[in-house]
Amino acid sequence: MSFSAVSRALQVQLVPPRAAHALLWFGWRSEAHAQRHMPIEPWSVDALRRRLVASTPDLADPEKQEHRWIVQWQEECVGIVSILRPSLRLGHAELSYHVAQAHHRRGIATEAVAALVDRVFEQTDLARLFAYISEPNRASRKLAEKLGFVHEGTLREHFMIHGRRIDQCVYGLLRREWSSPRKR
C-alpha cells in the first residue's frame, strides 16, 4: 500500500530511504544537538548506507527489525523516522525520530512523527509504541507529550553520552489513546 504522509501546512512527507541518504544521516548524527542528547554509535557513512539498504519502509515484513523513512520538507531531506524492533507477538515497537538542527522549531518533527504513528496504527496490529528520550532533551519530550505519549518512567543513568551517564525517559502510546492531529 502506498502511503504519502503530507501536511498541507508544512508539506512534510515520509519517503523510503535510499543509499544516497546515508551521507545526510551521517551529517544529522554529527550535529551538536544529536551528540548532546543521543548515545550515537560511531557508524561510518558506509555502515549507515548498509543499514538504510537493509531497512524497509514495509511494515508488513515480519523479519525486519528496522523500518525507516526519510523526512522531506519542501522537497528537502531534513530528517529520519524509524520503527525499531517491532514485536508482532507482543504488539509493540520502538519509535525513533531525528530532524536536522537547522529545521528545529518549525513543527516538522511533530508532523513527521504523527505521520509515522498514523502509518503504524493503520498498517499493523501493534497495540503500543514507545520512545526512549534523553531526560535533558526537553524539546523531544514535549513533542512526545504533545502527540499523546505518556511519560511511563525514567531509566536512571541508562544512556552513556560522552562518558557521562544520562537518565533516559520512556514514553509510551497505546493504539486506543491515539488521536491523529493530522485528521482532526
Side-chain angles (χ1 to χ4, degrees):
M1 170 161 112
S2 176
F3 181 93
S4 178
V6 180
S7 164
R8 287 183 191 91
L10 293 175
Q11 299 176 350
V12 172
Q13 294 182 310
L14 304 183
V15 299
R18 297 189 322 265
H21 292 128
L23 187 58
L24 289 169
W25 192 16
F26 182 84
W28 301 329
R29 291 164 51 93
S30 301
E31 293 177 334
H33 187 267
Q35 292 286 320
R36 184 171 50 252
H37 292 300
M38 295 188 291
I40 305 234
E41 297 286 334
W43 294 80
S44 68
V45 173
D46 286 336
L48 292 174
R49 185 175 294 113
R50 287 191 296 274
R51 284 181 74 188
L52 285 176
V53 169
S55 72
T56 176
D58 181 6
L59 290 164
D61 187 340
E63 300 299 316
K64 294 295 183 176
Q65 292 297 299
E66 294 185 1
H67 302 271
R68 298 188 190 284
W69 296 264
I70 298 299
V71 177
Q72 283 187 341
W73 176 66
Q74 297 182 346
E75 307 295 321
E76 181 182 355
C77 297
V78 299
I80 190 165
V81 294
S82 310
I83 294 297
L84 306 172
R85 294 172 294 286
S87 173
L88 300 178
R89 184 176 68 80
L90 298 176
H92 62 73
E94 179 182 352
L95 178 140
S96 174
Y97 51 92
H98 180 79
V99 168
Q101 199 167 331
H103 298 285
H104 286 187
R105 297 183 183 181
R106 296 181 185 180
I108 296 168
T110 302
E111 285 288 325
V113 172
L116 181 56
V117 173
D118 281 346
R119 177 178 289 204
V120 169
F121 288 151
E122 288 169 2
Q123 295 182 8
T124 75
D125 291 329
L126 293 176
R128 172 178 164 26
L129 293 174
F130 61 90
Y132 296 117
I133 303 172
S134 175
E135 192 278 329
N137 190 347
R138 300 207 189 289
S140 187
R141 292 173 57 204
K142 184 176 178 183
L143 180 156
E145 291 166 358
K146 179 178 182 179
L147 291 177
F149 282 75
V150 174
H151 181 209
E152 297 178 335
T154 301
L155 303 170
R156 298 176 305 139
E157 297 185 4
H158 196 245
F159 273 173
M160 178 67 85
I161 301 176
H162 299 295
R164 291 182 42 235
R165 292 250 165 231
I166 305 293
D167 292 349
Q168 181 181 34
C169 297
V170 180
Y171 281 85
L173 177 70
L174 303 178
R175 171 188 291 274
R176 62 183 157 80
E177 297 170 336
W178 178 240
S179 175
S180 176
R182 299 172 57 247
K183 297 178 180 178
R184 291 181 197 151

